[in-house]
Amino acid sequence: MNLPGIETLVKAPFAEGDVFIAGRWCAAEDGRTFPVHDPATAEPIREVSAAGPGDAVAAVDAAQETAAGWRATPPRRRSEVLHTAFALMREHTDTLARLIVLENGKAYRDAVAEVGYAAEFFRWFAEEAVRIGSSFGDAPGGGFRHVVRRHPVGVTAFVTPWNFPAAMATRKIAPALAAGCPVLLKPAPDTPLTALAIAALLSEAGLPDGLLNVLPTDRAPEVVSVWLRDERVRKFSFTGSTATGRKLLAQAAANVVNVTMELGGNAPFIVCEDADVDAAVRGAMDAKMRGGGEVCIAANRFYVHQSVAAEFTEKFAAAMTAVRAGAGLEEGVTLGPMINRTAVESIRSLVDDAVGRGAKVAARGGVPEGPGCYHPATVLVDVPDDARIMNEEVFGPVAPLATFADEDELVARANATVHGLASYIYSRDVARALRISERLESGMVGLNRGLLSDPAAPFGGVKQSGLGREGGREGIEAFLETQYIALDWPTG
Ligand SMILES: O=CCCC(=O)O
């Protein structure tokens, strides 16, 4: 199957429907559909099949049927499929990026960056597939041997978010397939089309039928609870909010399912008195505005040393005012619409709360007239620590600024959150910045960098930001079980 063009995907992708099970496209069991919207116009793009509980069972059946064959497939062959998927994804960058813009709204340049990022997960895990080690050694006390082998965990189920419809899918699919596991994927209802394109792309890359099953739906709880109650599903990976993650963890406990959770963040962005302020402003734009701020590791609250606060605020406010908002495919646009109207309302309410508590607006960019789901790039100053925006994930293009005077006070404020996903720090003194980094309760730190995500590095959080890591060497570990065999073979 060739990757369908964007027009095909948008208008009428697959004659039989959009549920992808056992290598075939079909309608939902009861023929139900749900609408997908273009955030730039808030108008529906088209109806998509809404998988139900019966489809969820059929997908587990299909996955389970392929599990033994894929597990026995030589790692080199699994790697080749992933290498081909990487090449195909790169070849189809424009089609996939336009599809992401259409259903997610982000600016085209962000969408192109996402396709590159997503493709790199295929390349990285193609390289990891052939390096799954086992070991054979002597028991320290003598008398017998240790055989320690790694094998795939089994059928895996994923729930992915709308903010990176391609990269959050490939970050889970690639290591699972590399390790030898079949996959069930439920994409976010706002952005199912990109996941369908990825299914088509993996088929084209030679992935045998049944190894990737994609179930778009607007009845997620029904589909996901079928998976979490089915003893054949041995791994569950979720990216989304901490509130939903908590509920899913409780459900996964019933069958003691192995879980990975990539949950919410509340990233501090710290500018020390010895920072290169221009570099800090560039980093702040990257950390705040990538994907329109709809990113779990986006800088959420800014702590700027009081001695550089005036200079940083002036330069950052100028950069935020220069942001051009508009439909993601328009030339020169750097900020697309938010995902939907609810998201815009939630960002607005955080801004209103901060202003109500004494914060001032230092910059507000423009937005196009009309019905699209836009929120302007905004900088707030003098934001008190108890403002909701300092304590909740804003998930939009708003930067609240506060100042600090002393390192201990800074670290205490930065750590005063249940989240611990990412942090950013700018200082010319790397030893000092490293010292502060090590004091931060944070799974990841960008040190003099506003962009930190890399498929070859472990992504994940501490505290209520999640469990486990994705990407890096750790990413494939999440899909492997360890078996120890005590071998009665005397040591020589
Ligand atoms: O929003 C969550 C994922 C962000 C990333 O992978 O850089």
Side-chain angles (χ1 to χ4, degrees), residues 117 163-164 168 171 290 295-297 453 459:
Y117 180 42
N163 65 338
F164 285 88
M168 295 306 96
R171 185 153 85 186
R290 172 177 175 238
V295 180
C296 56
I297 55 169
S453 304
F459 186 106

Side-chain angles (χ1 to χ4, degrees), residues 200-471:
L201 184 142
L202 273 160
S203 290
E204 173 78 14
L207 187 72
D209 292 348
L211 281 165
L212 173 63
N213 305 281
V214 181
L215 279 72
T217 189
D218 62 347
R219 34 184 168 165
E222 291 170 57
V223 166
V224 176
S225 66
V226 165
W227 289 347
L228 288 175
R229 280 200 312 263
D230 192 319
E231 288 180 359
R232 294 171 296 174
V233 174
R234 293 313 312 146
K235 170 83 197 179
F236 180 68
S237 180
F238 169 70
T239 297
S241 72
T242 297
T244 306
R246 230 180 252 126
K247 289 185 198 147
L248 292 169
L249 262 175
Q251 283 188 49
N255 283 345
V256 195
V257 174
N258 176 329
V259 294
T260 297
M261 293 269 152
E262 296 296 349
L263 307 178
N266 181 9
F269 188 102
I270 298 163
V271 185
C272 297
E273 67 263 44
D274 60 354
D276 173 340
V277 171
D278 292 318
V281 168
R282 285 194 299 276
M285 292 303 291
D286 286 340
K288 180 72 257 179
M289 296 304 288
R290 172 177 175 238
E294 295 180 309
V295 180
C296 56
I297 55 169
N300 204 57
R301 50 202 167 115
F302 290 70
Y303 298 109
V304 186
H305 192 270
Q306 56 193 23
S307 63
V308 290
E311 181 187 357
F312 177 83
T313 304
E314 188 192 327
K315 291 179 170 170
F316 184 43
M320 289 286 272
T321 309
V323 165
R324 177 143 170 248
L329 289 178
E330 259 172 48
E331 191 73 27
V333 159
T334 49
L335 172 63
M338 303 292 97
I339 188 71
N340 53 37
R341 290 210 173 105
T342 312
V344 176
E345 284 313 314
S346 138
I347 300 164
R348 263 190 211 139
S349 93
L350 291 176
V351 172
D352 292 348
D353 171 79
V355 170
R357 292 172 196 263
K360 292 176 202 66
V361 178
R364 197 196 295 270
V367 290
E369 296 287 318
C373 308
Y374 292 97
H375 192 285
T378 305
V379 178
L380 301 173
V381 290
D382 300 335
V383 185
D385 282 355
D386 64 354
R388 283 177 49 214
I389 201 164
M390 299 302 260
N391 299 285
E392 296 173 30
E393 209 172 15
V394 61
F395 238 62
V398 181
L401 271 54
T403 58
F404 74 94
D406 156 80
E407 185 176 314
D408 288 341
E409 165 226 334
L410 165 76
V411 170
R413 286 165 76 194
N415 287 339
T417 167
V418 296
H419 293 112
L421 190 56
S423 301
Y424 302 87
I425 175 160
Y426 273 75
S427 167
R428 284 195 173 90
D429 180 349
V430 172
R432 174 174 188 240
L434 265 177
R435 180 181 70 232
I436 297 176
S437 301
E438 290 178 2
R439 295 180 69 192
L440 293 173
E441 295 165 351
S442 181
M444 298 169 280
V445 179
L447 202 166
N448 290 332
R449 277 188 70 80
L451 296 175
L452 54 77
S453 304
D454 184 341
F459 186 106
V462 299
K463 303 202 291 190
Q464 294 186 29
S465 284
L467 295 169
R469 294 293 180 271
E470 293 187 315

